[in-house]
Amino acid sequence: MISTVNLIQRYGKRVLFDKINITLDRGKRYGLIGANGAGKSTLMKILAGEIEQSDGEVQIQPGFKLGMLSQNQYAFEEFTLRDAVLYGNKKLFDAQKEKEKLYMEGDFEDDAVNNRLAELEMICADEDPTYESDVKIEKLLESLGFKASEHDELMSSITGGDKFKILLAQVLFLKPDILLLDEPTNNLDIETIGWLENELKRHEGVLLVISHDRHFINGVVTHILDLDFSDIREFTGNYDDWYIAANLVAKQAEADRGKAVKEKDELEKFIARFSANASKAKQATSRQKRLDKLDVADIKLSSRRDPSIMFRPHRDIGNEVLEIVNLAKSYDDTEVFKDISLKIEKGDKVALIGSNGIGKTTLLEILMENITQESGTYKWGQTITTSYFPQNATDVVVGDNKLYDWLQGHDPKWHIDELRKVLGRMLFSGEDQEKKVEECSGGEKHRIMLSKMMMDSANFLVLDEPNNHLDLEAIVALGEALHSYDGGVICVSHDRELIDAFANRIIKINEDGTLIDFEGDYEAYIEEYGH
């Protein structure tokens, strides 16, 4: 349906792509992976015709519609939510709006008006044969969390995160033959991500998706496109299949290319590590069976490296950890939550979940003494030292200091050699460490913040969506680090694989402010509650 012929993209002396030749077939759902900066988003924009390639061509079969998830959240401020979604099919939008205007203002004794109305009716019938566009738009909006009473509100009245949801509804409404999605799960809560997975599995054309949500990409894609060494290599299977196969190849290379690895022991150790916790034993077994059937001959060594994340508490955690009693908070007479009571015990690794805007970040900010509660109390145990990863980490990691200087600014006693080692484990080479913090990307700033947390050596970690901006390899490494960590954890995340990797207790804040407090991992929680 869509293919590239000798596609080249250069920026100055840097060659991003070098003669890429791929064909994306109908009925296949592709996950595009690659290191940050490899050019995933650039490639998608070239396929969509949004930017011009340096050389080569993109070929799309005639008559096929292409739709790409827009990133311009503020392009439709004067549209109602309903109209912004309808705009996804611009031909239908224009015809409907012109038709409405003619019915209100047109002279029906004028043949030209009547002829034009007939033409517009034909366009509407072609684009919306069942005349159900209104119903489809309402269902999309409601599935994304917008109540019927909100559908005629202006886009300017909703938050940036909600605007992104409207852009997602817009491209889904078009039902394109070729659907291109760059990070579609941004700003979506867990339930909505699950809904989107099911929607995409029913897509009958070509799907190409970039996502750092491992659970999502595993659940949706049938093929992996690995962008590495300025080329793309296709692999049949999901991300986990590719990741295991790619790491097997790396192990084989380490064992001097042609020599076989001690397969059973090596694979069992690797799969156990990758699966991250005992609750995934069944999955690990099934993956090993799948791995036995994998053809890894075409998988080459990757240029990517996994970060080495390790949190080591400076002292053991005591029996008294955290007690919260009747905590309440409001903003401008709007109640965020009330009467939250919790006791966090030694050994607890908590995933704090709930829909967007429910108060998860507010609760963490109170616990970290950045804002004050209206009423209620909380008390940390005397042995507890905390390290915090705020939701706005990209706004916190700022300044014109070099990376190691920024870290040392938090504690002058931290030795420069240790700082350099920690940054190196987070994939900052010696040269990279000389960069100014303000020059770093969002993903780099998140890795710097994780470097700080490693240096903190705290025995309790508080994290608010740390996976944002991280690539898949870094998220896997973070999950393993939290799983191996000897201290306590409270982490807000919508990434189900990350939650599944470390959490042994799930706390959900419900819409009515009540809590679900579940002792167990995320898989068991889903079996119990289904959401």
Side-chain angles (χ1 to χ4, degrees):
M1 294 182 77
I2 182 170
S3 58
T4 66
V5 180
N6 293 329
L7 194 69
I8 297 174
Q9 186 70 4
R10 301 186 194 90
Y11 289 107
K13 293 182 180 179
R14 186 186 176 204
V15 178
L16 204 58
F17 316 135
D18 187 16
K19 294 184 178 178
I20 287 179
N21 292 280
I22 55 170
T23 297
L24 307 186
D25 298 321
R26 185 180 186 86
K28 294 180 180 178
R29 302 187 297 273
Y30 300 88
L32 180 59
I33 65 170
N36 287 339
K40 300 185 295 293
S41 295
T42 300
L43 176 62
M44 195 170 272
K45 288 175 182 175
I46 289 172
L47 294 178
E50 291 189 1
I51 61 177
E52 188 77 20
Q53 63 269 26
S54 302
D55 204 351
E57 59 180 312
V58 175
Q59 298 175 343
I60 299 175
Q61 283 182 254
F64 285 106
K65 287 190 292 188
L66 183 147
M68 179 172 171
L69 175 61
S70 172
Q71 302 294 323
N72 188 353
Q73 299 174 5
Y74 299 95
F76 301 94
E77 293 294 87
E78 299 308 311
F79 285 62
T80 64
L81 306 193
R82 190 191 306 273
D83 280 350
V85 177
L86 178 62
Y87 194 85
N89 186 334
K90 191 168 185 304
K91 197 171 181 181
L92 179 61
F93 176 89
D94 289 342
Q96 283 196 10
K97 292 305 172 185
E98 186 180 348
K99 189 172 69 170
E100 288 169 10
K101 186 176 181 181
L102 284 176
Y103 274 124
M104 290 186 66
E105 303 173 2
D107 179 0
F108 295 111
E109 294 184 3
D110 185 340
D111 287 343
V113 170
N114 290 312
N115 290 338
R116 182 56 182 160
L117 280 170
E119 291 171 1
L120 294 170
E121 288 290 356
M122 289 293 292
I123 294 171
C124 290
D126 286 341
E127 297 297 319
D128 183 25
T130 59
Y131 290 90
E132 292 182 326
S133 60
D134 284 349
V135 174
K136 290 175 183 175
I137 289 170
E138 286 172 7
K139 284 183 178 178
L140 276 171
L141 287 171
E142 287 172 6
S143 297
L144 287 165
F146 298 98
K147 299 173 185 175
S149 59
E150 300 172 318
H151 295 181
D152 291 312
E153 292 182 3
L154 291 179
M155 287 283 286
S156 57
S157 69
I158 61 176
T159 65
D162 281 345
K163 293 182 204 294
F164 186 83
K165 290 182 182 180
I166 299 297
L167 298 181
L168 181 58
Q170 190 181 77
V171 72
L172 292 176
F173 173 70
L174 177 61
K175 284 193 172 295
D177 303 290
I178 302 162
L179 178 57
L180 309 178
L181 301 176
D182 190 350
E183 294 292 351
T185 60
N186 284 356
N187 303 298
L188 302 185
D189 55 35
I190 289 175
E191 289 86 351
T192 310
I193 293 171
W195 167 83
L196 178 60
E197 272 184 30
N198 292 328
E199 287 290 302
L200 297 180
K201 285 176 186 175
R202 293 198 291 267
H203 183 71
E204 295 177 353
V206 167
L207 170 67
L208 180 63
V209 60
I210 300 168
S211 177
H212 292 160
D213 185 324
R214 185 174 129 209
H215 190 289
F216 172 77
I217 204 166
N218 276 334
V220 169
V221 309
T222 59
H223 293 71
I224 292 293
L225 298 177
D226 180 18
L227 180 53
D228 203 1
F229 296 111
S230 303
D231 196 9
I232 284 184
R233 293 166 292 193
E234 183 175 339
F235 180 81
T236 300
N238 63 18
Y239 177 78
D240 282 2
D241 296 328
W242 170 87
Y243 188 83
I244 292 173
N247 277 271
L248 174 59
V249 168
K251 287 177 184 296
Q252 288 173 331
E254 287 168 11
D256 197 15
R257 283 299 195 177
K259 294 180 182 178
V261 182
K262 293 177 183 176
E263 200 161 313
K264 187 172 185 300
D265 289 344
E266 288 291 327
L267 290 183
E268 283 180 353
K269 285 178 185 175
F270 172 69
I271 295 172
R273 181 182 70 84
F274 182 61
S275 297
N277 63 33
S279 74
K280 287 199 165 185
K282 289 181 181 177
Q283 286 188 35
T285 302
S286 67
R287 282 177 188 157
Q288 178 139 9
K289 289 178 181 176
R290 286 185 0 228
L291 186 56
D292 292 337
K293 300 175 183 177
L294 285 178
D295 179 9
V296 297
D298 292 332
I299 300 290
K300 299 176 184 175
L301 283 175
S302 173
S303 66
R304 298 195 289 282
R305 294 180 297 140
D306 294 354
S308 176
I309 304 174
M310 188 177 295
F311 302 112
R312 289 177 174 161
H314 71 292
R315 65 176 293 183
D316 290 339
I317 198 165
N319 290 324
E320 292 185 2
V321 180
L322 173 63
E323 186 168 13
I324 301 170
V325 180
N326 296 329
L327 211 62
K329 179 64 180 176
S330 300
Y331 288 113
D332 299 326
D333 299 323
T334 300
E335 186 176 81
V336 181
F337 52 73
K338 66 175 181 178
D339 298 334
I340 284 185
S341 295
L342 284 172
K343 190 169 185 180
I344 306 300
E345 307 281 358
K346 183 177 182 178
D348 282 348
K349 294 182 179 179
V350 176
L352 182 62
I353 65 173
S355 43
N356 292 332
I358 207 71
K360 304 184 296 296
T361 294
T362 299
L363 177 59
L364 297 192
E365 286 284 295
I366 290 172
L367 296 178
M368 299 311 297
E369 300 184 351
N370 291 330
I371 59 176
T372 56
Q373 67 271 32
E374 242 71 58
S375 59
T377 62
Y378 65 92
K379 183 181 179 183
W380 290 99
Q382 287 189 347
T383 65
I384 303 302
T385 55
T386 61
S387 184
Y388 184 40
F389 192 111
Q391 189 181 66
N392 65 334
T394 52
D395 298 327
V396 172
V397 184
V398 292
D400 59 2
N401 293 329
K402 296 175 181 178
L403 271 55
Y404 48 81
D405 287 335
W406 185 87
L407 288 175
Q408 200 165 41
H410 291 84
D411 190 339
K413 295 192 295 293
W414 287 345
H415 197 278
I416 188 67
D417 288 345
E418 287 302 311
L419 295 174
R420 283 189 175 277
K421 285 178 186 176
V422 166
L423 287 168
R425 294 205 336 243
M426 293 307 294
L427 307 184
F428 293 104
S429 67
E431 185 179 329
D432 290 335
Q433 294 178 18
E434 302 296 325
K435 274 201 310 189
K436 292 182 179 179
V437 171
E438 63 189 6
E439 296 170 352
C440 292
S441 67
E444 287 173 327
K445 287 184 175 184
H446 274 218
R447 285 190 276 128
I448 294 168
M449 182 59 77
L450 289 172
S451 301
K452 176 193 173 293
M453 294 184 77
M454 285 192 277
M455 290 299 301
D456 281 336
S457 301
N459 58 17
F460 199 100
L461 305 180
V462 181
L463 306 103
D464 194 352
E465 302 202 41
N467 50 285
N468 287 352
H469 300 290
L470 295 181
D471 60 23
L472 280 158
E473 288 77 25
I475 295 170
V476 170
L478 176 60
E480 292 174 1
L482 293 177
H483 173 67
S484 303
Y485 177 56
D486 289 333
V489 176
I490 297 178
C491 179
V492 172
S493 179
H494 298 306
D495 188 305
R496 291 157 292 177
E497 289 285 349
L498 177 61
I499 292 171
D500 217 7
F502 78 89
N504 57 23
R505 183 174 174 185
I506 311 298
I507 296 175
K508 181 182 182 185
I509 304 178
N510 293 316
E511 296 287 342
D512 60 2
T514 60
L515 296 182
I516 295 175
D517 189 351
F518 180 80
E519 298 278 352
D521 62 36
Y522 187 66
E523 287 185 7
Y525 168 84
I526 290 296
E527 286 180 13
E528 179 79 16
Y529 292 99
H531 57 82

